[in-house]
Amino acid sequence: RRYARSIFLRANVKGGEVIEPHHIQVVRPGHGIAPQFYQDVVGRKAIQDLKRGNPLLPGSVEGGDESGFRVVYEEPVNE
């Protein structure tokens, strides 16, 4: 899907820290967890240090790999 959205980090999060709404945002293009899982991500702990500006991936949050989070992968656009 072209120009899909996904969850990205708005702020750095330390491993073990609980992810709060002010840590994340939904942006384009999509390369991370799909936005419909926003509320499921909030309140989970980060498994590792997460850097601002990067997509949030299931393996980065507690229970994320088993959660069924859908990840948005966009194909590069050749112009």
Side-chain angles (χ1 to χ4, degrees), residues 1 3 5 13 18 20 23 28 33 35-37 39 41 46 49 58 60 62-66 70-72 74:
R1 205 171 136 186
Y3 304 121
R5 294 176 182 262
V13 180
V18 174
E20 298 182 21
H23 291 134
R28 286 186 183 141
I33 296 173
Q36 65 256 40
F37 298 107
Q39 293 300 323
V41 167
D49 289 349
S60 302
E62 185 177 63
D65 286 331
E66 300 85 35
R70 186 172 66 82
V71 177
V72 177
E74 285 196 355

Side-chain angles (χ1 to χ4, degrees), residues 27-78:
V27 300
R28 286 186 183 141
H31 298 291
I33 296 173
Q36 65 256 40
F37 298 107
Y38 185 95
Q39 293 300 323
D40 297 317
V41 167
V42 172
R44 292 182 186 245
K45 290 183 180 178
I47 292 176
Q48 60 204 24
D49 289 349
L50 305 174
K51 292 192 115 186
R52 175 181 171 233
N54 288 317
L56 188 63
L57 300 172
S60 302
V61 296
E62 185 177 63
D65 286 331
E66 300 85 35
S67 67
F69 290 149
R70 186 172 66 82
V71 177
V72 177
Y73 293 106
E74 285 196 355
E75 297 292 322
V77 177
N78 295 325

